[in-house]
Amino acid sequence: MTIKPDVNEAGATPAPAASPATPKDAAAVILLRDGSDPADPHVFWARRGPGMAFMPGFYAFPGGQRDEADALAAVEHAADRETATMIACAARELFEELGVLAARGADSLTKGQLASVLDDLTSGRMTFAELLAHYGLRLDARDFAYAGRWVTPPFSPRRFDTLFYVVRCPRKQEPRVLTPEFDRGGWTSAREAFESWRRAELLAAPPVIHALRTLAGGLTGDLTDRFLSVPQAHRRPLRAIEFLPGFVCFPVRTPTKPPATTTNCYLVGTQEFVVVDPGSPYEDEQDTLAEHVEGLLSEGRVLREIILTHLHPDHVGGAEALRARLGGGVRIAAHRLTAEPLRGSVRVDRFVEDGEVIELEGEPRLSLRAMHTPGHARGHLSFYEERSGALLTGDNVVGVGSVLIEPGEGSVRDYLSSLERYRKLPNLVALFGGHGPAVGSPRAKIDEYVSHRLRREGDILAAVRGGAETGRDIVARVYADVSPKMHAMAERAVAAHLEKLEADGLVRRDEGGRVSAR
Ligand SMILES: [Zn+2]
């Protein structure tokens, strides 16, 4: 019964920064429906299941990581070996995930034969290269139209270097979701899909949004050029990630705790906007963010204020620098309990109270409702936008790693009630946390967090009932498999849990500080 401590969260003692994950080679297929209207093409997309580690709840195209055996597949008319391998990867993923075999010669197979070919692959009886050779099928690079190469930004614990290919679905083949990675999927008009994203009805990653927007322009002669018309389609890192209209995540490098390497700064609003948590203490990152904000101002957009979710250095470290860079006139807003301890380092001009609504004019117009959600820190704020269902969770829920609650600023009891408040929000679509990618399956994530805390509490109580009398004893029992280097932090996490167990009347503490079960 061991649990890993929460070690990746920036608290009072910043650890040396980790380095971002190395992107893995991957390929994805933008599958077009055969015979669909060239002015309004239909494309197949699917939603990633709520339990997926990478971008749960996001709509995506079929695809995945390159397999070693992909290099063995023969691909006709490929420019080079590398291209051939990635096309084989795309074709294999398309076949495994949707049952569509984009190989020449596949049209002579019956449905039954196609199913047994797929079984040969998924059961591991044959590699993709072997089955293509065995059934006399040929991959042809001309069937895979290159549509760009995107790299997941460094803020994600998992990163992919993905080649996108536009493929026409072979006649007589009907895609269907075959992988547990997706919980639903189907054909959609590219235009309608793009419009649903614009109405904030669903989440999708930037390359998917770009593909939909491109296809919505029709299957014109310059389709490839339009796909490749943005720098990110050429592996240029994307700094400003628009997960939903009006919600731009701008990850900045911070001295936060591993595995996180960045803190998410958010720019919320279209015409009027706020900047939430400009956390980087590094000048180069502050400059990049300031230039981005200045770009928005030069378009005539209006910055209402800078908002801080909580007091940790990786969330406030660039606030004064951004204000100075913008001429010093911008207000900084935070909760009173954040402003007080920051006095002397950050000047907070305005206190944000629970229930306050910040109206941001624009298209769409956004209403951010402030929620005082202590637990990770006493003055922690979250912001909920009801129309879009977007919740800025600060460090209460994060897209990478887990959350540290330690005594002093932290309180397990407050934390659980803050999560409970999140859970009760109507129309919750997405969680935008302080670190890592957005979460598109909010309720599953919140439930996971709550059960994780309760499980930990149960383990700690069991250790006390089993005779552990000090934080150190408890850590030795509950965190047995964790490196001793982490034990000091684990002890602080245990202390926070003991505070709650004492308050609940389940544990008592004697004058010497020794704990026992009641
Ligand atoms: Zn924090």
Side-chain angles (χ1 to χ4, degrees):
M1 222 173 13
T2 51
I3 33 182
K4 293 197 187 331
D6 304 320
V7 292
N8 47 359
E9 175 53 33
T13 46
S19 40
T22 307
K24 301 210 165 91
D25 288 342
V29 172
I30 302 164
L31 188 67
L32 294 185
R33 190 175 208 166
D34 184 54
S36 66
D37 179 0
D40 182 21
H42 284 219
V43 61
F44 195 96
W45 72 347
R47 192 174 68 181
R48 298 178 58 76
M52 298 303 294
F54 184 70
M55 307 205 127
F58 275 64
Y59 276 80
F61 297 130
Q65 229 172 292
R66 160 197 194 145
D67 197 286
E68 239 173 81
D70 290 335
L72 304 172
V75 180
E76 292 172 4
H77 301 107
D80 49 57
R81 201 51 243 166
E82 184 60 20
T83 307
T85 301
M86 295 318 293
I87 286 176
C89 170
R92 178 184 50 74
E93 289 284 343
L94 176 64
F95 192 35
E96 286 173 354
E97 297 192 339
L98 302 186
V100 168
L101 186 51
R104 299 201 178 190
D107 51 355
S108 63
L109 299 172
T110 64
K111 271 206 169 103
Q113 285 169 319
L114 202 57
S116 81
V117 177
L118 181 58
D119 191 54
D120 287 338
L121 178 65
T122 51
S123 66
R125 267 194 298 278
M126 280 191 217
T127 66
F128 193 48
E130 284 166 350
L131 71 82
L132 290 172
H134 182 83
Y135 290 94
L137 306 170
R138 289 166 296 115
L139 294 178
D140 193 310
R142 292 171 300 183
D143 300 335
F144 294 77
Y146 178 64
R149 184 169 179 180
W150 293 62
V151 181
T152 317
F155 80 141
S156 175
R158 292 181 188 212
R159 300 178 66 205
F160 298 95
D161 182 346
T162 309
L163 288 106
F164 286 82
Y165 294 99
V166 175
V167 174
R168 278 172 189 279
C169 188
R171 216 161 295 173
K172 297 199 294 190
Q173 293 193 48
E174 192 53 37
R176 66 217 180 274
V177 169
L178 299 173
T179 162
E181 273 176 53
F182 298 131
D183 66 355
R184 63 161 74 160
W187 291 114
T188 175
S189 132
R191 193 171 300 153
E192 273 169 31
F194 181 63
E195 285 307 318
S196 346
W197 175 78
R198 291 227 309 179
R199 289 191 299 269
E201 289 164 3
L202 48 86
L203 283 178
V208 175
I209 300 304
H210 175 67
L212 295 174
R213 188 189 283 126
T214 304
L215 289 171
L219 303 181
T220 57
D222 64 348
L223 183 69
T224 303
D225 292 340
R226 287 192 288 118
F227 265 113
L228 303 180
S229 66
V230 294
Q232 306 87 263
H234 304 269
R235 310 181 73 218
R236 258 278 286 285
L238 181 63
R239 289 307 304 257
I241 307 157
E242 192 169 23
F243 281 120
L244 282 178
F247 290 85
V248 171
C249 175
F250 196 103
V252 289
R253 203 173 78 253
T254 55
T256 186
K257 281 182 184 151
T261 58
T262 54
T263 297
N264 292 335
C265 172
Y266 288 96
L267 296 103
V268 182
T270 45
Q271 171 58 24
E272 278 187 300
F273 68 104
V274 291
V275 176
V276 181
D277 287 355
S280 183
Y282 306 125
E283 236 174 85
D284 57 338
E285 289 290 274
Q286 293 174 348
D287 285 349
T288 309
L289 175 64
E291 278 159 25
H292 184 77
V293 172
E294 283 165 345
L296 299 176
L297 298 177
S298 72
E299 290 166 11
R301 306 225 246 153
V302 178
L303 173 59
R304 280 275 294 274
E305 58 190 10
I306 296 167
I307 301 177
L308 307 176
T309 59
H310 67 293
L311 80 175
H312 286 151
D314 59 330
H315 290 258
V316 309
E320 285 293 3
L322 181 61
R323 164 152 62 195
R325 174 74 182 252
L326 299 174
V330 187
R331 260 189 332 206
I332 296 180
H335 193 271
R336 193 182 302 273
L337 294 173
T338 296
E340 280 162 12
L342 284 180
R343 204 177 297 151
S345 58
V346 181
R347 195 189 83 229
V348 173
D349 309 274
R350 189 177 84 78
F351 296 147
V352 179
E353 306 290 344
D354 185 79
E356 174 187 324
V357 176
I358 301 170
E359 300 280 359
L360 299 167
E361 291 302 328
E363 189 47 55
R365 179 172 196 267
L366 300 178
S367 300
L368 282 183
R369 179 149 58 86
M371 298 167 71
H372 178 216
T373 48
H376 173 72
R378 287 181 305 142
H380 191 285
L381 292 172
S382 308
F383 294 90
Y384 180 54
E385 212 286 316
E386 187 160 332
R387 192 198 51 86
S388 55
L391 177 64
L392 268 63
T393 56
D395 271 356
N396 276 347
V397 179
V398 291
V400 48
S402 46
V403 174
L404 179 66
I405 311 291
E406 49 183 352
E409 280 292 324
S411 153
V412 174
R413 180 181 276 221
D414 286 350
Y415 184 63
L416 287 170
S417 22
S418 292
L419 292 181
E420 196 50 41
R421 279 188 77 191
Y422 288 169
R423 203 189 342 217
K424 285 190 182 135
L425 291 172
N427 176 40
L428 199 52
V429 170
L431 304 178
F432 297 118
H435 305 273
V439 173
S441 53
R443 283 179 209 285
K445 185 76 171 180
I446 294 167
D447 288 349
E448 177 195 317
Y449 268 49
V450 171
S451 56
H452 167 76
R453 288 291 153 188
L454 296 178
R455 202 164 51 240
R456 169 159 310 174
E457 182 176 294
D459 289 343
I460 290 171
L461 185 57
V464 174
R465 287 183 173 147
E469 294 184 319
T470 64
R472 184 166 299 186
D473 291 347
I474 295 169
V475 168
R477 292 179 192 219
V478 177
Y479 296 86
D481 67 336
V482 159
S483 143
K485 269 191 275 183
M486 302 298 184
H487 281 188
M489 196 177 295
E491 255 184 70
R492 295 201 298 277
V494 165
H497 273 282
L498 287 174
E499 277 182 2
K500 175 174 181 292
L501 289 168
E502 278 183 79
D504 290 347
L506 293 166
V507 161
R508 78 171 141 244
R509 195 180 286 270
D510 70 16
E511 281 148 25
R514 294 186 169 271
V515 293
S516 56
R518 271 183 187 276

